[in-house]
Amino acid sequence: MVRTIYCVQPYVRSAGKLAKGHLRRLLSRDAAIRAARSMRGQAAGVVVFRVVGSWEADYWSDPLLIAKAGEVPAECA
């Protein structure tokens, strides 16, 4: 079964560098945006992206950027 998963990847400052926080997976774009907004005071930055694929086949599309805010790595552009 093909699914669309919305992911929220926060970034935190650790020893002067950006480090990935805990990735959240959600089933709607609106839920992902709300989750990202709720991290506003806790994370240095956040990226919201979407992937389409199948758990059974373990195949996922390349991520499609939806939104980003704050400090995020350059490769998230």
Side-chain angles (χ1 to χ4, degrees):
M1 181 162 116
V2 175
R3 287 206 123 138
T4 300
I5 304 293
Y6 296 86
C7 301
V8 180
Q9 178 65 68
Y11 289 89
V12 295
R13 279 246 165 242
S14 178
K17 296 181 182 179
L18 284 176
K20 287 183 179 181
H22 177 70
L23 177 75
R24 291 190 58 191
R25 295 177 190 98
L26 299 123
L27 297 177
S28 78
R29 181 184 185 279
D30 290 340
I33 296 294
R34 280 193 305 272
R37 286 183 178 152
S38 74
M39 296 176 186
R40 189 172 303 164
Q42 303 158 355
V46 65
V47 174
V48 179
F49 61 93
R50 175 188 92 186
V51 292
V52 178
S54 167
W55 293 108
E56 294 85 14
D58 194 27
Y59 171 78
W60 298 95
S61 66
D62 289 334
L64 176 67
L65 179 67
I66 295 173
K68 64 180 179 174
E71 295 179 72
V72 298
E75 63 265 17
C76 294

